[in-house]
Amino acid sequence: MKLKLSKTTVEALAPEPDKQIIVWDSDIVGFGVRVSPGGSRTFFYQGRLHGKAKKVTIGKLGKVTAETARKDAKRIASMLELGQDPSPPKHATAATAPTLGDLMAAYVELLESQGKVSARNVKNQIARDIKSAHPRLWAKPAAEIDLHDCMVIVGALVDAKKPRQADKIRSYIRTAYSEAINAHGDANMPASMRRLKITFNPARDMRKVKGSSKAKDRALSLAEFRAYWRRVQALPEPHRSLAMLHVLTGGQRQQQLARVTLADIDRDAPSMRILDYKGRRTEPRIHIIPLLPEALDAIDRITGGGEYVFSCDGGRTPIHNAFLNDIAKRICAEMKDADELENGPFTAGSIRATCETRLIAKPYRVSSDVLAHLLSHGMGTVQRKHYQHHEFFDEKLEALEMLHRMVKGQPEPGAQVVELRTRA
């Protein structure tokens, strides 16, 4: 019996009360499903390896979908054609086979070997959301992890209303398996990754989590931005100077600010160097931010005997990633109580969005190229990577001067306000 094995057709198959039945797929030769008398439906693939019959169980309907089973069948067929055994090595037992934990640890080691500053944060997230939350799966052989197991890990975070974190963990698992597969032909990979011998990525068909990349930051209105600035001025030190610096440098990313040291401050051509590791780059992009006199004054107020600029203890340790968010959250609550909030709550990320949104509009009209260099985004185009080498230092300085006048409520030089006459 042959038919197209889809979710509908497989679920419609009626079991025989006294025997197992097999139904073959009409499109993929060797792909079939077994229907037991009890009603369970198990997908499998049957082919030949080195001239001998080889049957590989794919999984039961429910743990795998018909669509996933079809993709697995094609993968198994390709491996058999290449003379590769799709079954796990016989010598690998549950006690000796590399586990999911070994895979994720190797992935973190790979990030560290690439110089990724995010490696430590990724390691902590993996330990919390996989190792501690799912110890049974953490100890399960990596080659035996299936799509259902991946969904258990990611689904728990979705159920906890953490879509962004859920999608991060989905991405970490998917990338870890992908890198382990690539390690077969890459001697530059860490030994911990090469020895895993992973041939299949169970997370490849996991869909992006809805709501994970939904824009959560909004742009403040001019009135809100100026109210925020006034309240920043009233904060105690070092919170006042740190929040001022965040605004006066254009709302730079918090993680990058936390890495700035005194060695990154150039007082001769007042500027601050930021190492931008964002994205897949292994070498940071040097990002130079001009410093206004008010920004230098703020740096002098908060630095001491330590090396870090953005610090609460004189530079001995950098601020936490949530530090500026906590300040924004507190000011947001104060503005709400004072009826100064026009469009709902905001975060520290909203300050970054506000800087760009307000500077590109009238009367400032800062170009998108200047804003891209000021905020270090959209720099990966061919034109910018290979042909455009202008650093826009003076233009960035002018934009920051506009930003300072903006929050203080000062008019732009040369800007005119035309009063419209009302009809008689």
Side-chain angles (χ1 to χ4, degrees):
M1 181 177 178
K2 288 187 177 183
L3 53 84
K4 178 73 175 289
L5 296 181
S6 64
K7 179 178 183 295
T8 302
T9 58
V10 173
E11 288 179 348
L13 293 173
E16 295 284 343
D18 56 352
K19 66 177 181 178
Q20 175 180 273
I21 62 172
I22 293 178
V23 179
W24 299 96
D25 187 75
S26 57
D27 294 342
I28 305 174
V29 177
F31 176 44
V33 63
R34 295 190 300 268
V35 183
S36 70
S40 67
R41 295 156 173 80
T42 305
F43 296 103
F44 67 91
Y45 183 85
Q46 182 170 301
R48 303 190 77 82
L49 178 64
H50 304 309
K52 296 182 179 180
K54 181 75 176 180
K55 181 180 286 188
V56 181
T57 298
I58 296 174
K60 291 184 178 181
L61 181 66
K63 286 193 173 182
V64 298
T65 65
E67 181 181 358
T68 301
R70 295 182 71 83
K71 292 180 180 179
D72 283 346
K74 292 178 181 179
R75 173 185 62 84
I76 294 168
S78 297
M79 292 183 68
L80 291 175
E81 288 179 7
L82 294 172
Q84 300 174 357
D85 190 345
S87 304
K90 292 183 178 180
H91 65 273
T93 64
T96 61
T99 64
L100 176 64
D102 293 329
L103 170 66
M104 301 313 296
Y107 174 58
V108 171
E109 185 179 338
L110 174 62
L111 295 179
E112 291 172 341
S113 70
Q114 294 174 338
K116 288 288 188 179
V117 294
S118 61
R120 182 178 178 182
N121 190 32
V122 172
K123 180 179 181 180
N124 292 337
Q125 293 179 59
I126 288 173
R128 181 189 65 224
D129 296 328
I130 304 179
K131 182 178 181 179
S132 298
H134 305 279
R136 182 185 65 81
L137 293 177
W138 182 263
K140 185 174 180 178
E144 296 180 13
I145 294 290
D146 57 23
L147 179 61
H148 174 74
D149 295 327
C150 298
M151 286 298 298
V152 168
I153 297 170
V154 176
L157 292 168
V158 173
D159 294 341
K161 309 299 183 185
K162 299 177 180 179
R164 183 169 177 79
Q165 185 60 24
D167 202 61
K168 284 184 179 181
I169 294 298
R170 175 197 69 87
S171 177
Y172 297 156
I173 296 173
R174 188 170 187 238
T175 306
Y177 270 98
S178 177
E179 294 290 3
I181 294 172
N182 293 337
H184 288 288
D186 190 350
N188 298 312
M189 286 284 192
S192 59
M193 186 67 82
R194 297 197 309 270
R195 71 169 66 103
L196 293 172
K197 297 181 180 179
I198 298 296
T199 60
F200 172 62
N201 189 343
R204 67 179 183 179
D205 294 322
M206 293 187 72
R207 295 181 179 179
K208 187 173 179 65
V209 178
K210 285 186 177 181
S212 61
S213 58
K214 183 178 180 181
K216 61 179 180 179
D217 292 319
R218 67 174 182 89
L220 277 65
S221 68
L222 277 176
E224 288 176 322
F225 199 17
R226 288 165 180 165
Y228 176 81
W229 179 257
R230 289 195 299 271
R231 293 187 178 277
V232 163
Q233 303 300 301
L235 292 173
E237 293 289 0
H239 297 66
R240 172 175 178 263
S241 293
L242 287 167
M244 284 179 61
L245 269 176
H246 184 225
V247 174
L248 293 175
T249 56
Q252 303 299 320
R253 298 182 180 93
Q254 297 181 69
Q255 287 184 335
Q256 294 177 6
L257 291 178
R259 293 194 290 267
V260 175
T261 67
L262 287 172
D264 295 316
I265 304 300
D266 183 349
R267 292 181 177 272
D268 294 327
S271 60
M272 177 173 69
R273 180 182 64 176
I274 291 179
L275 301 181
D276 186 357
Y277 284 92
K278 193 173 186 298
R280 297 183 178 181
R281 58 174 69 100
T282 56
E283 294 295 327
R285 193 182 75 82
I286 305 301
H287 179 35
I288 302 297
I289 303 296
L291 292 177
L292 302 177
E294 293 80 6
L296 285 172
D297 291 341
I299 290 174
D300 290 336
R301 289 193 294 268
I302 57 178
T303 51
E307 63 174 322
Y308 293 101
V309 172
F310 288 81
S311 170
C312 291
D313 56 9
R316 290 190 295 274
T317 58
I319 59 173
H320 188 270
N321 288 340
F323 182 84
L324 293 173
N325 257 334
D326 291 340
I327 291 178
K329 184 177 180 180
R330 184 162 64 251
I331 292 180
C332 180
E334 293 174 356
M335 289 173 60
K336 182 179 180 181
D337 293 340
D339 200 25
E340 295 173 338
L341 212 57
E342 299 177 8
N343 298 305
F346 60 87
T347 68
S350 304
I351 303 304
R352 178 179 175 84
T354 301
C355 291
E356 179 162 12
T357 302
R358 297 303 160 211
L359 284 174
I360 205 169
K362 292 180 180 180
Y364 309 101
R365 296 185 182 277
V366 178
S367 74
S368 57
D369 278 340
V370 173
L371 290 172
H373 280 79
L374 175 63
L375 298 173
S376 186
H377 63 66
M379 306 298 294
T381 64
V382 172
Q383 179 185 6
R384 284 176 174 153
K385 287 176 67 175
H386 301 290
Y387 301 109
Q388 190 182 87
H389 300 292
H390 181 48
E391 294 301 327
F392 290 91
F393 185 89
D394 292 338
E395 292 88 342
K396 289 188 287 188
L397 178 59
E398 290 177 2
L400 291 174
E401 290 171 343
M402 292 179 187
L403 186 64
H404 192 207
R405 291 192 291 270
M406 181 195 303
V407 293
K408 293 173 67 177
Q410 297 176 348
E412 278 302 292
Q416 296 182 351
V417 178
V418 179
E419 183 177 351
L420 299 178
R421 295 182 179 181
T422 57
R423 290 184 178 179

